[in-house]
């Protein structure tokens, strides 16, 4: 067996605190406004992608979560792969120009590829699966093709697949600069701060639904751009001011400012969606109940100790500092109990050891003030929140060893499903 040309990479989910919504160029995925996100730990949420190139492959093929998909069905996917191939082709030409014999230059740009990708979280359920998916794809292509481009430069390739994917090319806190150029060369991601800058920051994801959303982000934002009068003011004035204020809050590790901007921007994003005609509503009753409980928790604390944000879906992401997270976990597991048929460690895996045992979740309220709040609010219907994911700020894409490849020796998925 000859040399195998393959790369396996994991990439993270990112959750925006300043939202991206609206495109000025749909083909190149150029946004109407800049955005800023927090990269979450891949220990809890990630996409793993293996790509192999071989002269023996007849066609490009794609498997998502074990099921083969038509790789040519997605124009964005084709665009990302084609862009990466062109960069590899340019590298091969440069190698020849630099005096490397043509027969020694591996023509990876001409070979077909097999792509196998797996998520460890629900796809298309408001958890930014496309962002981690395209970031993993582009990072794997960059590694396979040994591309010399910087991470910011490669983020442009991820952007043409899924806009927010460019932010998942970095860990920590990441800005997607909207840019002004027609060709999009200045629309890319830059790291604002790395994960070590603010290690106390943690996040809870309350999964209110793991079903595919009724109105996709692509369709929703296009309708917003065309019909919302609030949208123009957001793009022109609000977002630029919030981007600078958020960068300053992160630099200073000022959680109360970070939290207020995060919640206000989430609220405005969903207000813009409701101002769209016909209106778009991504939040549900559980979403609104969670937001209300966060405000109640902050009042009980006497400070802004937690912040919610919602992307284009009903699932809540709650940011808080580590010292406040125990009480938040106890509050949410009490007020939003699991269904009887869901095992405790499936509902809340407890990666940070909040409870002594999984069964304690929903039955322990340590702080008297939080206990009083929980008893005042009461319990919502079991199963309103399907599960709770507890995570923290994470790193950018990771290159894995060959032993963790998703493809077999013959280049087929190890875990294929019919």
């Amino acid at each position: 067996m000859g040399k195998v040309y393959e790369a396996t990479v994991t990439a993270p989910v990112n959750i925006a605190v300043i939202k991206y919504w609206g495109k000025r160029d749909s083909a190149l995925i150029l946004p109407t406004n800049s955005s800023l996100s927090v990269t979450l730990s891949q220990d809890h949420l990630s996409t793993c992608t293996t790509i192999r190139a071989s002269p023996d492959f007849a066609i490009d093929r794609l498997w998502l979560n074990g099921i083969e998909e038509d790789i040519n069905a997605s124009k964005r996917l084709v665009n990302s792969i084609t862009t990466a191939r062109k960069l590899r082709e340019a590298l091969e030409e440069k190698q020849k120009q630099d005096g490397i014999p043509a027969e020694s230059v591996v023509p990876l740009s001409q070979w077909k590829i097999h792509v196998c990708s797996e998520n460890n979280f629900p796809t298309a359920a408001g958890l930014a699966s496309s962002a981690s998916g395209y970031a993993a794809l582009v990072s794997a292509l960059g590694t396979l093709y040994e591309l010399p481009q910087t991470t910011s430069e490669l983020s442009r390739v991820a952007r043409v697949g899924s806009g927010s994917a460019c932010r998942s090319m970095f860990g920590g806190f990441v800005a997607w600069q909207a840019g002004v150029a027609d060709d999009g060369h200045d629309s890319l991601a830059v790291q604002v701060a790395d994960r070590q800058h603010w290690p106390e920051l943690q996040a809870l994801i309350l999964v209110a639904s793991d079903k595919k959303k009724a109105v996709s982000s692509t369709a929703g934002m296009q309708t917003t751009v065309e019909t919302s009068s609030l949208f123009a003011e957001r793009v022109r004035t609000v977002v630029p001011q919030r981007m600078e204020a958020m960068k300053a809050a992160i630099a200073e590790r000022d959680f109360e400012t970070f939290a207020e901007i995060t919640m206000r921007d989430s609220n405005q994003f969903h207000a813009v969606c409701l101002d769209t005609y016909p209106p778009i509503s991504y939040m549900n009753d559980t979403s609104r109940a969670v937001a209300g409980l966060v405000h109640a928790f902050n009042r009980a604390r006497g400070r802004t100790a937690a912040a919610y944000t919602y992307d284009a879906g009903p699932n809540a992401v709650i940011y808080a500092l580590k010292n406040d997270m125990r009480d938040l976990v106890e509050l949410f597991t009490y007020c939003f109990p699991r269904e009887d048929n869901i095992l405790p460690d499936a509902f809340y895996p407890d990666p940070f050891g909040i409870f002594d045992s999984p069964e304690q979740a929903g039955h322990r309220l340590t702080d008297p003030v939080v206990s009083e709040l929980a008893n005042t609010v009461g319990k919502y219907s079991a199963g309103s929140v399907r599960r709770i994911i507890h995570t923290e700020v994470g790193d950018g894409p990771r290159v894995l060893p060959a032993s963790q490849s998703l493809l077999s020796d013959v280049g087929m998925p190890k875990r294929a499903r019919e």
Side-chain angles (χ1 to χ4, degrees):
M1 184 176 177
K3 181 176 179 180
V4 174
Y5 292 91
E6 180 183 276
T8 299
V9 172
T10 62
V13 165
N14 75 78
I15 300 295
V17 290
I18 304 293
K19 303 298 186 185
Y20 149 57
W21 195 249
K23 303 183 186 79
R24 60 184 174 89
D25 186 311
S26 295
L28 296 176
I29 309 190
L30 303 180
T32 53
N33 62 268
S34 296
S35 56
L36 198 151
S37 62
V38 180
T39 299
L40 301 182
S41 172
Q42 295 177 71
D43 295 341
H44 313 119
L45 295 165
S46 69
T47 296
C48 182
T49 297
T50 296
I51 303 178
R52 183 179 300 180
S54 172
D56 299 327
F57 294 159
I59 58 173
D60 292 331
R61 297 179 71 178
L62 167 70
W63 291 266
L64 296 178
N65 296 314
I67 300 174
E68 185 163 15
E69 306 280 351
D70 180 3
I71 200 168
N72 295 310
S74 170
K75 185 178 180 182
R76 293 182 175 187
L77 180 60
V78 171
N79 285 347
S80 291
I81 294 172
T82 300
T83 303
R85 275 188 168 133
K86 288 179 179 178
L87 294 173
R88 171 64 192 186
E89 187 174 13
L91 176 62
E92 292 167 3
E93 287 302 312
K94 184 178 185 304
Q95 290 173 340
K96 294 173 187 177
Q97 292 170 8
D98 290 344
I100 298 176
E103 63 272 16
S104 298
V105 176
V106 183
L108 293 178
S109 64
Q110 307 306 311
W111 294 354
K112 300 300 182 182
I113 59 174
H114 284 187
V115 181
C116 187
S117 187
E118 297 180 357
N119 294 330
N120 68 351
F121 56 92
T123 302
L127 288 181
S129 58
S130 63
S132 59
Y134 275 99
L137 174 82
V138 171
S139 296
L141 286 169
T143 302
L144 171 66
Y145 288 160
E146 298 180 334
L147 298 179
Q149 280 73 21
T150 66
T151 302
S152 280
E153 289 169 340
L154 284 177
S155 77
R156 293 193 295 241
V157 184
R159 189 203 73 223
V160 301
S162 171
S164 58
C166 70
R167 298 190 307 250
S168 280
M169 296 292 288
F170 287 98
F173 303 83
V174 187
W176 174 11
Q177 298 174 344
V180 296
D182 290 341
D183 66 358
H185 75 269
D186 57 349
S187 183
L188 43 71
V190 295
Q191 189 177 61
V192 173
D194 64 23
R195 64 178 300 197
Q196 288 84 17
H197 172 72
W198 205 353
E200 300 84 7
L201 188 67
Q202 295 188 350
L204 288 179
I205 301 175
L206 278 63
V207 180
S209 171
D210 54 9
K211 297 178 181 178
K212 192 168 183 176
K213 53 202 175 194
V215 180
S216 72
S217 299
T218 299
M221 67 176 68
Q222 185 60 35
T223 308
T224 296
V225 171
E226 294 170 355
T227 65
S228 171
S229 57
L230 294 179
F231 175 75
E233 178 63 17
R234 170 173 170 77
V235 169
R236 181 173 59 251
T237 306
V238 177
V239 169
Q241 293 174 351
R242 285 182 178 161
M243 284 290 292
E244 295 310 308
M246 182 59 85
K247 288 177 185 177
I250 292 168
E252 297 166 9
R253 292 186 285 272
D254 176 356
F255 182 79
E256 293 207 32
T257 300
F258 171 91
E260 181 175 342
I261 295 172
T262 295
M263 290 188 284
R264 285 183 178 275
D265 202 74
S266 178
N267 293 344
Q268 189 184 65
F269 159 55
H270 287 278
V272 164
C273 289
L274 288 174
D275 188 53
T276 300
Y277 190 80
I280 305 167
S281 181
Y282 287 115
M283 295 173 68
N284 60 21
D285 288 345
T286 300
S287 310
R288 289 182 281 272
V290 169
L293 190 53
V294 168
H295 283 295
F297 178 82
N298 288 338
R299 286 192 297 271
R301 274 287 201 261
R303 57 186 170 84
T304 306
Y308 56 78
T309 187
Y310 298 83
D311 282 341
N315 302 321
V317 178
I318 311 297
Y319 289 112
L321 297 180
K322 180 180 178 180
N323 290 342
D324 290 304
M325 196 54 87
R326 182 202 66 183
D327 291 331
L328 277 167
V329 170
E330 291 183 355
L331 178 64
F332 281 114
T333 55
Y334 178 87
C335 292
F336 294 94
R338 63 180 173 86
E339 291 181 297
D340 291 337
N341 63 337
I342 303 297
L343 293 174
D345 56 358
F347 177 67
Y348 176 67
D350 197 11
F352 298 97
I354 298 292
F355 299 106
D356 297 326
S357 68
E359 290 75 15
Q360 276 191 339
H363 300 285
R364 192 185 79 186
L365 294 165
T366 305
D367 187 289
V369 174
V370 174
S371 178
E372 182 180 356
L373 171 61
N375 288 313
T376 300
V377 172
K379 296 187 177 186
Y380 291 90
S381 299
S384 298
V385 170
R386 299 180 63 83
R387 62 182 179 137
I388 299 175
I389 302 166
H390 188 174
T391 187
E392 60 188 346
V393 184
D395 57 354
R398 304 171 181 172
V399 178
L400 303 185
S403 61
Q404 296 190 47
S405 171
L406 301 179
L407 294 173
S408 68
D409 291 342
V410 294
M412 297 297 288
K414 293 178 179 177
R415 293 182 287 275
R417 294 192 291 147
E418 294 295 330

